[in-house]
Structure formats: structure tokens, C-alpha cells
Amino acid sequence: MSKRKVKDVHRPIGECITQVQQILRERFCHQQLPDRPEGLEAQYKHLLELLRRSAIQGESNSVLIVGPRGAGKTMLLQCVLRDLLQEKEAQKNLLQVHLNGLLQTDDRIALKEITRQLNLENVVGDKVFGSFAENLAFLLEALKKGDRSSSRPVLFVLDEFDLFAHHKNQTLLYNLFDVSQSAQTPVAVVGVTCRLDVLELLEKRVKSRFSHRQIHLLSSFGFSEYLQTVRTQLSLPDDFTDRGFAQDWNSSIQTLCEDKSVEEALQRHFNSSKDFRSLHMLLMLCLSRVSVSKPSIKPADLLDASRLCLCDAKANMLHGLSILELCLIIAMKHLNDVYEGEPFNLQMVHNEFKKFLQRKSNSMYNFEQPVVMKAFEHLQQLELIRPVDGSSAKTQREFQLMRLMLDHSQIMEALQKYPQCPTDVKQWAMSAFG
Amino acid sequence: MIDSVCSLCVSSLVISVEGLPRPTIIIPEQHILIEGDDEDNPYVAKVIRLFGDGDGEQMKAVVQWFVRVSEVPLSKLKLLGREPHPQEIFHYQGRICDDEVNVESILRPVQVTVACVHPKVLGHKMCTNITTDVKSIKFKNYFSFAVCLIRNLLDNQQDLNSDGEDEDEFVPSQKELNGCSEEDEDDGEEEAGLDSEEEILVKKGRGTTAVFRTPRSKQKTHSLTRTPRKNPNKKIMPGTPRTPHQATPSIPCRSLPTRQPANILEEARARLHVSSVPESLPCREQEFQDIYSFVESKIIDGTGGCMYISGVPGTGKTATVHEVMRCLQHAADVDEIPTFHFIEINGMKMTDPHQAYVQILQNLTGQKATPDHAAALLDKRFNNPAPRKQTTVLLVDELDLLWTRKQNVMYNLFDWPTQRHARLVVLTIANTMDLPERIMINRVASRLGLTRMSFQPYSFKQLQQIIMSRLNKVKAFEEDALQLVSRKVAALSGDARRCLDICRRATEICEHSTTNPSATGLVGMSHVMEALNEMFSSAYITAIKCASMQEQLFLRAVIAEFRRLGLEEATFQQVFVQHQALCRLEGLQPISVSEGLAVCQRLGACRLLLLEPSRLGVLQRVRLNVSQDDVLYALKAD
């Protein structure tokens, strides 16, 4: 595949493949930042200007970055910070505090984390001393002492901002926004969230103190841009050591993207979500098939990966069930048909199963009640069925009401692929009436 | 305890002093110590007259008060023009002061020696008004300073005018130079006596010999600094490290200075920031006047009272009160009104309602205490008569956050001002007008009283005036643009913060829209419109427009299912059937259940849909968080 050219540095193919794997994996798994955020130029400029003013002029600001998951909110913020910190004036002044709503689950922890990251006086080593009340008073005192022209501006980044709104009284948010609206230490509060209704979560006093700046990342890019992103994400950079290999790789990527079936598969992905994380997942699966013996991505790889991404999890679980468990599932499906989704219990399912057996002369599926019970419990453990809410544990297990957590289409699909499924069971499943 | 004649005027009385075997006789013209807030630092006074209270049950004394150095406000202390001796006391001539005390509060007699102060030390100005017996200096008709030194009496000394013997040795400046009283040869004996007395006092008070941070023991530690310490400082105990009390919380300083605004838009932006304090508060003159006269009258009368201020966020409640306080403080500085103490607490800035006590106490006295202890101390302070009390003005912001089930915090806050000796003015701020009726039990609401004030949301004219006054002749906005902003905000909330934020954003938009950064035009209608849209328009419709194909289909399926069921709620399973049908209709490959669930979850994360927890799988119920019309409008526009 790789035609080696004389004029360039030649590397053994194994080394090249290792490098390709490394570069691309960094892109897909480590969220490596692009040089410019694609398609988000306006938002990038807005945020950069805002943070620059905070860092250089000491202006207090608050802003929310809102957008669906995988739209590039954190990427945008990181890009802005990276470019901002390249300016010497900003780098020397700006203090940063990064909080995450999933880690700092209440204000007590959040305050300790802020104090630690700001390295205030009550920090010894990695520990913060003092009670919750003392910490709050201390931090507020510290922020109050500063003023616009003399103290270093502090950037607060609140990831999963909506979770902070669930803290008691929203004390932290109130105080951060209050500082940002008063002549104290200059702060810039940047919230990152995927909830569109985040402002409604804020209490009216907190809301009034928030500047109402929102940066929405709602990109309406089309499929051609999506395809272009796939191409650039898979392409090797120009400064790759073996230039010949890089050219071969890039041209193979070009042909891959022009392939009809690949385009169809990508279109399907695009239709289902515009999220770049799921795209990275797909490309990662393709990349893992690249080896020394197969140094490029073939359309078949991408189709396989796409199939793997789109397959149904529950239907796959059905493939691993025993015949008895499968029969019970089918019996449940018939019960659902008859009773229009009303919950059922083990006894009903067993009766339905027995009706099926009576029509058959051979008794190869004649199981004892305890065995059926065991199979039923296994299904419950797999969460293919779940007990109806509110039914207490007092009722006997045979009579506990259950619901099926599968769609009919999933059952039928699983039956098609089930290895060596007996024909009569299949027919029973297809038949309209049990 | 009291041995005296039951007449109106009494010549002497006998009290027993703890630590002394014999009872002590107190007669007029003697200096005494009187029980006060601080156990280790009792008040000093001179007895003028002793008398019985009508029926003779209650003995009272008319006294002339002295103030300790630690009690003199810092601003007044500066007028002294020199470093005072820690034991020094000053003659007090405050206008507002009970000069009658109950004799039970007299602790013991004390010897006061008058030091002859060298005119150079006192400063020229002060020496002009030295009076007869006690060398006092009248100063700005508020305080008159008498330079004296307190000495404790161990035995009952009759000699009162003890300003004879060691006048010269007690020049405070000389003491300062020596730095250590025990080394002073001339009064070594008496100072030793003082120390033994001190020990008795300490043992009585706390039962431990720990080092206390009282002004008097400060003198001791002062001398101890030269000798090696016997026991290490108690505060740095290993094992239980606490926030260091001496820690000065601060954010590090900038290494590079801030850049000044370069053009007119930046200038305007800086002025429009909510934090920039305007010279005056326009449109709140009436409210300002009302609050001012309320607080001023209370301060002048030396009484207490409560006021409740309500108004929606961003109507200038806190700003107005701060402005009032600034003006009153200024008036107090030029001696138009008596000095007062301003304390501010905020319900949102504390972790628990009971922390209010801690913060008030810390602001008043600098002490740190647990909430219960602080409440007890404050109770004592406000309920008991004490001399030389200044009025305390307490601002309680976000009052509703101080609500507890028993409402004892609110009760105490409103009860203290009603006490005769409290001299406490409480200004409370909250958002709702009927807060007292809604959340307070009767006895709390009744104590809060009916002095109420409500801040109306700003009208568009007022908002316009606010912006104009802030801009202060910096011409950055077109007239129409300002009017648009103020009308829009007035119609929505009347929140001045919102108004200023929009204007600020508009200046940014204006700055970016022009290509040439040096020649920036005025902020026009279009810029303001854009800023308004950014801040007030909901993002739901754009979000639906930008959603992926399957997400849009799912929303349509949800609406179709709702229409079929006639309900506003459906399970995922039901919606999914519709979704599959729609997929076939659109000529798309039907998606699997897992994929459908993923689509549903993504919509749920954005809160376009409201979902049950995802562990319910296909059984979870789905609701729309947007109106159906909005969804249809957004999907049709494609």
C-alpha cells in the first residue's frame, strides 16, 4: 500500500502505524483541541473578548455557555483559555478556579475546593481548615478586600452549571454573582451547561445578579460539513515524519469518504445525532482495525463499526438466553398483546407457556415449576422484566406483578438471529394468538 | 451588702469585693470599676453622688464616666495625636449616656492617678482647655480627654485625690519607651499588686491560666515577649488546626496594572457596570429621604426601631440603604449627629440562620463565638443598661433566608430594638411585600412593626435617567436606543441591573460591528435590538431547528402520540411506534430501540423533553417541555 518515495525520510511501516494510532487516538480520546473551533467563530470571539476584558481591564463578568451534549462547549472554553493565556498580560494576572457540578456536589465541598485552588491563607498543603461557615466568611472577606485595579482577576469555571443551582439556597451562585456585580475583586464566572432552561432554575435574586449573557452553541451545520469533519479528523498532519506514508494515508481517507456505502452509514449517524463524541467513538472503532498488515481504513471497517454502534443492546442480550427463558419472553409478549400492556405475574406466564406445550405432542420443554421460577428470576436480574412500582415485597414471588422492558420489534429481531432457534418456538412467537 | 441610710441622698456605701477579706466602703468622689460587657475590662467611673431610689430598695449612683483607650473609636483616637498608654483612661462627656448606675454593678474601687503630661506630648491644641482637678481636654465638644492611669486598689484607700506623688513618673510616653510596666522602678510594687489582682480575676473568671487576649493581659504578654515563653501559644495546637485568626484573607495583587479604557465605548461600558458606584442614586430620592430621617431620628434620640424594606430584585434597595449610611457616616464624622456603628449581614452570605449572631457579634466586638454563645452575649449586650452605648444600625439583607422553624433568629433581631437600653436600629430587606404576614408568626411580625417601605420597579423614565446619570455626559448612545432599552426592561421587570447589562452588551456589539476600531460610532437601535434578542429570546426554537433529523422526528412522534392519546404524556414505547411509522414515511431506515432511547435522552438532557429516570427503559414516560405550537413552528420553518 505504501509506496516509498526516495526523497523523503523512510520509516518502517510498523513505526508509521504506531504514530498514526497515537496521533488519531489523541484526537478521539483525549479531546485534543483543534487550532480554531470550527463553525463557532462568533461565539469564540465573544467569549475571548469577554475573558480578555476581565483579565486585562479587571472587569467583572458572568456568562453561560449553553449547548447540547457533544456540541463543543468545553472545547470552546479551552480554546479560548489557551489563546488568552498566550498573551503575557493575561497569563500573569488571571487566577483560575475550575469546579464541576458532578464533583462539588454541595457548597461546602465547592468552597473548600475554591479556597484550595486559590491557595488562600487557610490552606495548608492540600487541606483547607475551618468550618463551612468560617470558610464562607473567609472567602467572602478575601474577595471583598480586593478591588478592580489592584487585585488579580479570578476566573470561575462552573462545569455542569445546572447542578450548582440545586445546592441549598444557591448560596455559592448568589455570592459569586454578587461579587461579579459589586466593586470587589474582579471575577469572571463562566457556567457550562447543556440545559436550555437553566435560567429558570436560578432563584430570582440570583437571576437578577446574573448578567444574562448566554452563548448558545446551536450549530446548524449540514451533512457536507459533517463529512468534511470526518475527513479532517482522520487525515494526518503535514508535518508527519514519513511524508510518503502520510500522502498515501490521506488519499486513502479521501477515497474512503467518497465511497457510497460509507457515505450512507455516515448519513445515518448524522441523522441520529450531530454529537462529535459519538462520531469519535465510531472512528475509534475503525482506527483500532488498522494494523501493519492492513495499513488503511477500508469501507468495510467503517460499516462494521457503524453496525456495532447502532446495534440494539437489549436484543443482543436476548441472544444469550436459554430456550426456556426465550419461551417465557415470548409468553410475556403474547400476554402483553392480549391484555394490552397490563402487568403480569409468573403464574400467568407459566400458564401461557403450558398452553403452548399442550399443543405440542413432544414434551422436550416440560420444565418443573422451580426451574421456571429460576429462569424468571434470571430475567429479572437481567432487567428484561421489572416489578411494578409499589408492589410490596410481601406478595409471593409467583404473584408479583411484572412488566416487560422490551419492545416487540426487539424480540422478533432477536429471534431471527438466535442460534438454532427451534422452528415451533419461532412459529409460536409469530402467531397472532398464543 | 448595702449599708446605708434610707434617705434620698447617701453619703457612703459598703460593698464586699471578691478576693478581699474586708468589705469596702465607697464614697462620692472615689473612682470605681463597674461591671460591663467585657468581664476582663470593666468600666471606670467616678462617683459623683449616691442616692436611694424612692422607697429605698434600690441604691443608685450618679457617676462621671471614663473611657478606656480600647473603647475610644479609632477616628477619635487619631485626634489625640500620640500613642496612648494601654492603661490610659479619658474623661467622657458624651451627650447620650445614662449616668445613673445600680450599685450592684459596682465591682470595686480603683485608684486613678493623674499623670502630668508634658505639653509637647499632648500637642499644643489640647493644652488650652485643661480643667481643674482632672486634667481634661475638651475636644470638639464630644469627648474630653483626661489623661489618667488606672490603678487597682487592694486595700481600701481613702486617699482619692492621689494625683500628688508620682505625677512625673507616669508620663505615658515614657512608659511607651520602657515598654514594660514591671520594669518600671518607681511603681514596681504597685504594679506587682496589679498583677496579683489580675490573677485573682482570671481564676475567678475562667478557672484556667491560659493566656487571654484582653487589653490588660496584653500588657503582660508585652513583657513576656522578651522572656522565653513557658507554654506555647494555645492557638497552634497540633491535631486541631483551625483557620488562623491572624490570617488576612486576600486575593494576590496583580503583577501588571489594569488597562484604562481606550475609547468612548469602553469608557461607557466601565461606567455602566453595575459595580461602579454612582455619585448619587437618581430616582430614589423619596425613599432615601424616608430611610435617612428614620435612622437619623433614632440615632439622635438614642432609641431603637425596625424598618422593613421590600421590592423586587434590582430596584436599588441595598444601594439606597448603603447610600443613607454613607451620608450618615459623613454627618457623624463632622459631628452633626452622634457616632454610630453600622453592621451589615446578608442572609444569603451565611450558611445557617444562626450564623447571623456570630457575624453580628464579630462585627460589633471582634469576638469569635459559637452561635449559641454569640446569641447569649448579644442578648446581654442589648438587654442590659450599659454606659456610653453608641447606636448600632444593623442592616439585614435577604431577611427571608433567616427564617427558621421556631423563628428565634428573627424574633431576637426584632426584639432587641424594643429594649430600653439597646439603641439598635434594624433595617431589613427582602423581596416580598407581605413577608411579615406570610412567614412570620404573630409575635415576630408584631415586633417588626409597621414601619414599612416598598420599592416600586423602575419605570422606563427612571431607567433612562439612571443610565443617563451613569453615563454622565459620555456620549455613547443614541437617544432612541436608550429609550428602547428602558421601555423594554420596564415592561419586563423594572430591574436596573438588567438594563445596565443590556446597555453594556450593546456597546460590545457596536464595537464589533464597526470594522475600524478607532472610529466607533454611537450605539444605535440595531445594536440594542440585537442585545435584547440575545438576552430575552428563548433558545428552544433554535435548538429544535438545529437538532438532528431523528431528534426532530422524535419530537413529531411525541406530538402525534399526544394527539392520539389526548393526553400530554406518553411512554417511550408508545412514542417509538409513532417514530417508526414516521421514519418509514420519510423514507429513512427505522432505528433500533437503543438508538431511539439515545435520541430521547439527548432531548431530555437539553430539557426539550421531560423524562423519567432512564433505568425505566422503554417504560419511561415522556412529556414536552415546550409548547406543541413552538415545536410545530420550529419544524415547519425548515
Side-chain angles (χ1 to χ4, degrees), chain B residues 51-67:
Chain B
F51 68 94
D53 191 14
D55 48 2
E57 289 295 309
Q58 184 74 4
M59 284 290 292
K60 294 209 171 199
V62 177
V63 294
Q64 163 65 53
W65 291 105
F66 288 86
V67 276

Side-chain angles (χ1 to χ4, degrees), chain A residues 288-349:
Chain A
S288 55
R289 297 186 176 222
V290 173
S291 65
V292 178
S293 54
K294 202 168 74 62
S296 68
I297 299 177
K298 297 272 186 247
D301 295 334
L302 197 130
L303 294 185
D304 271 353
S306 162
R307 210 165 297 134
L308 210 58
C309 281
L310 295 180
C311 71
D312 196 306
K314 282 275 166 73
N316 275 355
M317 279 165 79
L318 289 178
H319 296 166
L321 296 182
S322 68
I323 289 287
L324 170 62
E325 285 157 355
L326 195 64
C327 288
L328 290 180
I329 293 276
I330 293 169
M332 289 170 200
K333 170 188 172 273
H334 285 310
L335 280 175
N336 261 351
D337 284 343
V338 173
Y339 298 110
E340 288 174 333
E342 287 298 306
F344 48 81
N345 62 26
L346 172 63
Q347 210 55 50
M348 292 160 78
V349 176

Side-chain angles (χ1 to χ4, degrees), chain A residues 53 60 89 208 210 272, chain B residues 259 273 497-498 508 602:
Chain A
R53 280 206 308 275
S60 291
E89 216 173 330
S208 166
F210 170 57
S272 121
Chain B
R259 213 183 268 168
H273 197 280
R497 291 194 186 109
R498 202 65 328 95
E508 281 168 30
R602 273 200 296 276

Side-chain angles (χ1 to χ4, degrees), chain B residues 171-221:
Chain B
V171 178
S173 54
Q174 189 190 341
K175 282 249 179 184
E176 284 299 314
L177 285 173
N178 289 341
C180 169
S181 58
E182 279 168 312
E183 284 163 20
D184 209 331
E185 285 176 10
D186 296 295
D187 50 352
E189 205 182 288
E190 287 193 17
E191 287 294 338
L194 183 143
D195 275 359
S196 66
E197 170 82 6
E198 193 69 41
E199 265 171 36
I200 292 167
L201 203 130
V202 165
K203 269 175 194 156
K204 181 187 74 180
R206 313 267 170 97
T208 53
T209 50
V211 180
F212 288 106
R213 300 192 128 267
T214 65
R216 241 190 266 176
S217 49
K218 226 185 246 165
Q219 200 182 7
K220 274 169 90 183
T221 46

Side-chain angles (χ1 to χ4, degrees), chain B residues 342-357:
Chain B
F342 176 54
I343 302 173
E344 182 182 3
I345 60 171
N346 186 324
M348 274 286 206
K349 291 186 178 171
M350 54 188 74
T351 52
D352 175 88
H354 294 99
Q355 288 291 326
Y357 298 131

Side-chain angles (χ1 to χ4, degrees), chain A residues 223 227 257-268:
Chain A
F223 180 61
L227 207 58
C257 290
E258 280 159 10
D259 189 284
K260 261 277 160 289
S261 57
V262 168
E263 209 167 295
E264 238 166 64
L266 287 176
Q267 174 84 52
R268 212 180 147 187

Side-chain angles (χ1 to χ4, degrees), chain A residues 45-46 49-50 53-61 68-69 88-89 92-93 95 118 120-122 129-130 132-134 136-138 140-145 148-154 168-171 174-175 178 180-186 194-197 200 203-214 216 218-220 268 270-275 310-314 383 386 389 403-410, chain B residues 241-244 247-262 266 269-270 273-277 313-314 318 344 346-353 355 359 368 397-401 430-432 495 497-498 501-502 504-505 508 511-512 534-540 542-543 545-551 573 576-577 580 588-595 599 602 604-608 610 615-619 625:
Chain A
K45 202 175 163 200
H46 184 176
E49 278 299 310
L50 195 76
R53 280 206 308 275
S54 287
I56 293 172
Q57 297 184 356
E59 185 183 295
S60 291
N61 277 309
R69 294 218 183 272
K88 197 170 157 243
E89 216 173 330
K92 281 204 162 173
N93 285 331
L95 293 170
L118 282 177
L120 292 173
E121 282 83 351
N122 54 347
F129 297 117
F132 183 28
E134 275 173 8
L136 181 67
F138 193 81
L140 289 177
E141 186 65 20
L143 290 171
K144 205 173 177 180
K145 280 238 174 112
R148 177 172 175 158
S149 51
S150 68
S151 43
R152 292 174 72 174
V154 189
K168 190 188 162 220
N169 288 346
Q170 305 188 344
T171 310
Y174 178 90
N175 286 311
D178 195 54
S180 86
Q181 298 244 314
S182 49
Q184 303 180 1
T185 304
C194 66
R195 283 185 67 164
L196 294 169
D197 61 345
E200 288 156 38
E203 211 241 359
K204 58 183 183 303
R205 285 170 283 209
V206 183
K207 198 173 168 184
S208 166
R209 281 167 174 77
F210 170 57
S211 73
H212 277 61
R213 266 170 215 270
Q214 293 186 67
H216 287 285
L218 299 166
S219 43
S220 55
R268 212 180 147 187
F270 175 71
N271 277 349
S272 121
S273 89
K274 293 174 168 181
D275 177 357
L310 295 180
C311 71
D312 196 306
K314 282 275 166 73
E383 292 208 324
R386 61 174 283 130
D389 294 328
R403 273 185 204 279
L404 184 61
M405 304 257 292
L406 291 165
D407 195 58
H408 289 183
S409 59
Q410 286 172 302
Chain B
R242 310 276 294 171
T243 309
T248 47
S250 65
I251 300 290
C253 286
R254 300 175 72 99
S255 51
L256 294 166
T258 47
R259 213 183 268 168
Q260 291 305 311
E266 283 184 9
R269 197 152 54 226
H273 197 280
V274 183
S275 71
S276 71
V277 184
T318 313
E344 182 182 3
N346 186 324
M348 274 286 206
K349 291 186 178 171
M350 54 188 74
T351 52
D352 175 88
Q355 288 291 326
Q359 293 197 1
K368 279 196 170 182
D397 215 340
E398 316 293 3
L399 176 72
D400 49 331
L401 268 294
N431 290 130
T432 38
D495 186 337
R497 291 194 186 109
R498 202 65 328 95
D501 282 331
I502 292 169
R504 245 154 47 84
R505 178 70 188 132
E508 281 168 30
E511 204 170 10
H512 292 154
E534 236 175 61
M535 290 195 174
F536 287 118
S537 68
S538 126
Y540 285 116
T542 342
K545 278 184 188 167
C546 294
S548 71
M549 177 79 99
Q550 295 288 357
E551 285 161 8
Q573 208 164 8
F576 190 65
V577 174
Q580 299 288 57
L588 293 171
Q589 220 179 337
I591 58 171
S592 67
V593 177
S594 294
E595 233 179 308
V599 166
R602 273 200 296 276
C606 290
R607 287 299 191 279
L608 285 168
L610 296 176
R615 65 188 154 79
L616 292 171
V618 294
L619 299 176
N625 197 26

